Amino acid sequence: MIIEILKNNEESILYIMKVIFISICTFYTSIKISNVNIKLTTTKRVVYFLIAIIFSAFSKLINNVAKFDIVSIIYVIFGVSIFLSLTTKNKLGYSILVNIISLSVNQIIFFVATMLLYIPHTLLQITSKTLNFFTIIFIHFIILYNCLKLKRIKNGFSFLIKNKKDDYLNLIMLNISIIILFFVIVMSNYEKGVTEKFVLGLMMFSIIMFVTIQKSLQLYYKQKMLVKDLEETKSELEKKKEEVTELEKENLEFSKVSHSIAHKQRALEHKLNELSMKSEIADEIDIKDRIENLSAGLSKKQVVVLDKTEIPEIDDMLAFMQSECVKNKIDFQLQLSGNIYTMINHYVSKDELEILLADHIKNAIIAIGYGDNVNKSILVRLGKLDGNYGLYVYDSGIEFEIETLLNLGKKPSTTHKDSGGTGMGFMNTFDTLRKHKASFVIEEYGKPVKDNFTKALKFKFDKKEEFKICSYRAEEIKNVDKENTLVVEKL
């Protein structure tokens, strides 16, 4: 039956050729407006052309039976969309959208080409349908080719390329394209007596579509404004975060410096008091007060004279810390080993060592103050210890809280704010350790007892950069440290 139509019916042949031509132009337009680069092999081109012929002939058969030209439109929409999706690797839904827009564009161009032919056709009285058809497709091709060469279009439709997931814009274009196709279907069936049946439907359809387009445009612009506001808000938030981070960093550095200066200031005040007591001003003190002070001093425990490092700043800090221990009735001992000058010249600076001593002796005093142990002792070992230069601080105070251990060196953390704890000591300590690639070991020996220390903090300048905890309560610490951030060993 198909062969008979091709041989005897010029109108059928021209119809099939029109469908093939429109489908090819639609495919070509889809590629151009979506700005995709594809390589069509000879096999793919042949297959596409054969499919176009088959579906065009099939749509003509349906058209002859139903007397309504819509099958060819459906074929071009879905058939070409599937082929487009396979060749461009885009999703089928996106390919259908692009294809509908392309088909609408080609239908408009075909209508324009037909109108342009109307004047010469009327004047020259051309009766050949074949000549008219080829003239129309020639004009169609010229218009399409030049349109796709326009500066704004040659690189594709920006809204299709940039807004593949923009549902509002896609909905608008889909509605406009469907309206165009609807008019094409109605106009193409005008001579077949179908138009009169669609007048009411066309009016209702047009009203619905225009309302939909209007609402879609409103939603689209609202969405664009929301996206713009969101991007601006996000940008401002990022700037604020950067400012807050910078301020926190500056505050942290200021706190570190203030913390260090406070220790040095108190040590210098202690030194100044000693000097004033030894000066001639002391002669002016009331004799009675001197006798009372002497009597009180006899009742106190004799203060041990500390060994000297021969570094004035270090000796002053140790003397000040000893005085703090005396005030708190804590036994303070110092053991020096090796040449401290070698230590401050090659392993840690004088100022850094001074602050290390101040921070961790002060922490030991606080830890002892929070306990009720009768044994109140602090031992400081300084110099060459266990083969490396370092600082060991032993005390008989309470143990660290596990939460404090987890935050050491990461953020200021203290459970003794009421006793002057700021948490900045360990922040300074870890800065110093990282700078010199030193190791830090915390040893916890057990609960407070009357004849031994409870813990020791060992700072070793060994270039190993290790941090570990050796504790009698290793399992308890591991159970709290769910993320395994600490190296914990059983002591």
Side-chain angles (χ1 to χ4, degrees), residues 11 22 24 85 105 107 128 156 177 187 193 212 274 297 330 340 343 368 385 400 415 418 464 468 481 486:
E11 183 181 346
I22 290 296
I24 292 172
S85 178
V105 170
Q107 291 289 6
S128 174
S177 301
M187 293 301 294
T212 304
E274 285 186 340
I330 297 171
I340 307 303
M343 183 175 180
I368 292 172
L385 309 167
F400 284 102
T415 53
D418 55 339
K464 293 182 179 179
K468 63 180 179 180
D481 184 22
L486 301 174

Side-chain angles (χ1 to χ4, degrees), residues 242-303:
E242 290 176 3
E243 290 177 4
V244 170
T245 303
E246 189 65 28
L247 288 172
E248 287 178 347
K249 184 178 178 181
E250 290 177 3
N251 184 56
L252 184 62
E253 292 300 320
F254 178 75
S255 299
K256 290 178 182 178
V257 173
S258 300
H259 183 81
S260 301
I261 290 174
H263 283 310
K264 291 184 178 181
Q265 183 182 9
R266 295 181 68 190
L268 289 172
E269 287 174 354
H270 175 74
K271 182 69 174 180
L272 185 61
N273 288 335
E274 285 186 340
L275 291 173
S276 67
M277 291 300 292
K278 293 177 182 177
S279 69
E280 294 179 356
I281 300 175
D283 295 336
E284 299 179 6
I285 300 176
D286 186 81
I287 298 298
K288 183 179 179 180
D289 290 340
R290 292 175 65 185
I291 293 172
E292 290 178 354
N293 288 338
L294 182 61
S295 299
L298 291 173
S299 64
K300 292 182 180 179
K301 186 177 179 180
Q302 186 69 30
V303 177

Side-chain angles (χ1 to χ4, degrees), residues 362 366-367 369-370 398 401 414-423:
K362 181 65 176 177
I366 293 173
Y370 269 87
I398 61 171
E401 291 190 4
T414 180
T415 53
H416 311 311
K417 288 183 179 180
D418 55 339
S419 298
T422 63

Side-chain angles (χ1 to χ4, degrees), residues 33-62:
I33 67 173
S34 58
N35 196 28
V36 293
N37 295 319
I38 59 173
K39 293 182 179 179
L40 290 176
T41 62
T42 305
T43 304
K44 287 183 179 180
R45 292 179 182 180
V46 171
V47 169
Y48 179 78
F49 190 70
L50 290 175
I51 292 173
I53 293 174
I54 294 171
F55 274 93
S56 300
F58 178 74
S59 64
K60 179 58 182 174
L61 290 175
I62 299 298

